[in-house]
Amino acid sequence: MSYTTIANVAGMFPTFVTGTSTQKPSNTLIQQYIDDVAGDIDAILQKRFGEAINSSFAGSFANFQAAFSTDALNVLEKINRYGAAAQLGLTLATFGVASAEKLGKDFEDTYDELRARLEAMDERGRPLPSGMYDLLFDPEARIESPRPGLEGVAGGDMPRHEGAREEGLDDYFWKSQRF
């Protein structure tokens, strides 16, 4: 299942016109670019959200896809469009469209960033504990919160002559306390 259309990908290049007899590359090739990128997106989704697919959708990726919200589909459409447009830009550059090469490179950079956000990878390719789009695909996803989980002073971050008592934070809990 692809998430974008030929018209959306071609629309990324203002001077590129589809539907003519002399169109190069053909719509068939553009659709192949779309399908290639959609395959990569599906692989990322299956890897990243495999636990949710197995627990909530009985292991069926098709059922998982059918449950996508409009927001989730919009994100996937954008990633699919930018990835396919990057490939189309490089192809148009081989036909002598000079501006398409630079535009294709810009689309490729954006695609790489969007794909990393979906895959929850940092700029060095290392996994992150949560991804920007996790909540769109798994309602039980672990997401970071701007609120602190615990409050207090650890002690290691304080000068030697100060302690929790000087900060007014002593004795919240102690060794012998019973709950």
Side-chain angles (χ1 to χ4, degrees):
M1 173 178 140
S2 298
Y3 303 100
T4 193
T5 64
I6 293 171
N8 288 354
V9 173
M12 299 290 281
F13 297 90
T15 59
F16 182 66
V17 179
T18 60
T20 65
S21 60
T22 59
Q23 174 188 331
K24 290 185 182 181
S26 67
N27 283 350
T28 305
L29 187 57
I30 297 170
Q31 185 62 53
Q32 184 63 47
Y33 297 156
I34 293 169
D35 294 342
D36 289 348
V37 175
D40 292 343
I41 291 170
D42 288 348
I44 291 169
L45 291 172
Q46 289 178 48
K47 180 181 88 169
R48 180 90 181 125
F49 304 105
E51 186 177 332
I53 294 168
N54 288 331
S55 67
S56 300
F57 300 96
S60 172
F61 185 68
N63 291 343
F64 176 67
Q65 286 178 308
F68 288 164
S69 68
T70 302
D71 289 338
L73 288 171
N74 288 340
V75 166
L76 297 177
E77 190 279 331
K78 181 178 180 180
I79 296 169
N80 201 177
R81 179 170 25 99
Y82 272 88
Q87 292 182 34
L88 178 58
L90 295 176
T91 303
L92 290 173
T94 64
F95 290 121
V97 182
S99 62
E101 184 174 9
K102 182 180 179 340
L103 205 52
K105 180 65 177 140
D106 290 344
F107 294 151
E108 183 177 16
D109 293 344
T110 302
Y111 167 68
D112 289 341
E113 181 183 334
L114 293 169
R115 189 186 68 227
R117 287 181 185 171
L118 179 65
E119 199 169 10
M121 295 287 185
D122 68 9
E123 56 276 349
R124 293 184 183 161
R126 294 179 301 205
L128 297 169
S130 64
M132 182 174 177
Y133 304 123
D134 285 3
L135 200 56
L136 293 175
F137 301 101
D138 183 2
E140 296 180 29
R142 181 179 135 201
I143 58 169
E144 295 179 11
S145 172
R147 296 179 295 273
L150 298 172
E151 292 192 25
V153 177
D157 55 348
M158 298 180 69
R160 290 185 187 273
H161 66 280
E162 289 183 19
R165 182 170 304 241
E166 286 75 24
E167 294 292 318
L169 299 171
D170 63 328
D171 297 335
Y172 281 130
F173 304 102
W174 57 91
K175 184 168 94 174
S176 302
Q177 185 174 9
R178 292 182 184 245
F179 296 98

